DNA sequence: ACTTCTATATATAACCA
DNA sequence: TTGGTTATATATAGAAG
């Protein structure tokens, strides 16, 4: 690359690091664009500067590539959609509760109540925390949907 | 780069294109990793081959970078995270209910029940349908989280 | 298809403005 | 900060196994 050998270690000097980040980011985006035009491959690159600024590049667009990625990652052909991907026991529990409530379409207003009643006393707090996490995810997901068509930089 | 000049145009020969894609993808991922280690920058790269296979690289991980990206894209500094990005009235209602339940951390097992009781008779069905939609999103989201530590490649 | 192996094109670290 | 210039390090197209 340059006048000295590559030195894979972190650059300490803030100013130099900023310059290097900018140059390498440009190079990375250019490479990504070439991969797209030469190989007709969809590609997206996202990078955050230390300052916290987001830079993104996508061909044909960042959101389209990310959507494709989520679909590919979420539904690998050989795994036919295991019903719940919950990662903790409490989250699994919440998933089960939602399942039950959703299934009870005929049902009284007490569907939620019945599900909650089934919980042991100690589970309540765990489930609430899990619920909180899950709600954050829902909000994130919805923000994502809202910004489906937008592109940074 | 190589023995001839670069030719930005699409490579027609399938076999050559495949080889070029693999080589350039590796190069791109390597560059991304260097950007991370040298500049301490979070970075993600996603590429799809023409065959439709997904390849992803992320430091510190693909999902963490994507989450950061969505937050940055969805919450520009002047919009301080509006609590709900729900798109329908029923989904907004579900969001409010979740909020209430989550807030009642002290609370009895009846938090859900109380929230459901507040609904008008006609709202119940709408809320259930919204819940169903939201649950789908949760499942998708959770599948996504499952792939948090994995790097396709 | 997948590896090495070059010859050469590009990218870029250090300078300098 | 930003934008060149240049000397070198890397990346990679094509070839050959």
């Amino acid at each position: 690359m340059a006048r000295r050998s590559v030195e894979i270690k972190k650059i300490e000097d803030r100013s130099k690091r900023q310059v290097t980040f900018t140059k390498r980011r440009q190079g990375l985006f250019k490479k990504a664009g070439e991969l797209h035009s030469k190989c007709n491959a969809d590609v997206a690159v996202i990078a955050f500067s230390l300052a916290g600024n987001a830079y993104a590049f996508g061909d044909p667009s960042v959101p389209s590539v990310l959507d494709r990625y989520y679909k590919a990652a979420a539904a690998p052909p050989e795994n036919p959609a295991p019903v719940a991907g919950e990662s903790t026991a409490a989250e699994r529990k919440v998933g089960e509760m939602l399942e039950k409530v959703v299934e009870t379409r005929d049902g009284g207003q007490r569907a939620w109540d019945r599900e909650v009643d089934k919980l042991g006393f100690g589970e309540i707090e765990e489930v609430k925390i899990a619920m909180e996490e899950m709600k954050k995810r829902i909000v994130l997901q919805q923000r994502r949907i809202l910004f489906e068509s937008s592109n940074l930089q």
Side-chain angles (χ1 to χ4, degrees), chain A residues 103-115:
Chain A
E103 280 169 359
T104 315
R105 295 291 229 92
D106 58 292
Q109 306 183 14
R110 303 290 162 170
W112 275 113
D113 190 30
R114 262 185 268 116
E115 292 308 316

Side-chain angles (χ1 to χ4, degrees), chain A residues 93 115-125:
Chain A
K93 177 57 77 179
E115 292 308 316
V116 175
D117 278 348
K118 291 176 190 168
L119 294 175
F121 183 78
E123 288 179 300
I124 299 282
E125 190 63 16

Side-chain angles (χ1 to χ4, degrees), chain A residues 7 10-11 16 22 36 46 72 91 94 97 109 121 146:
Chain A
E7 311 249 350
K10 177 186 164 187
I11 299 172
K16 284 190 179 181
T22 301
H36 176 74
I46 296 172
E91 287 179 6
V94 174
M97 291 169 68
Q109 306 183 14
F121 183 78
L146 278 180

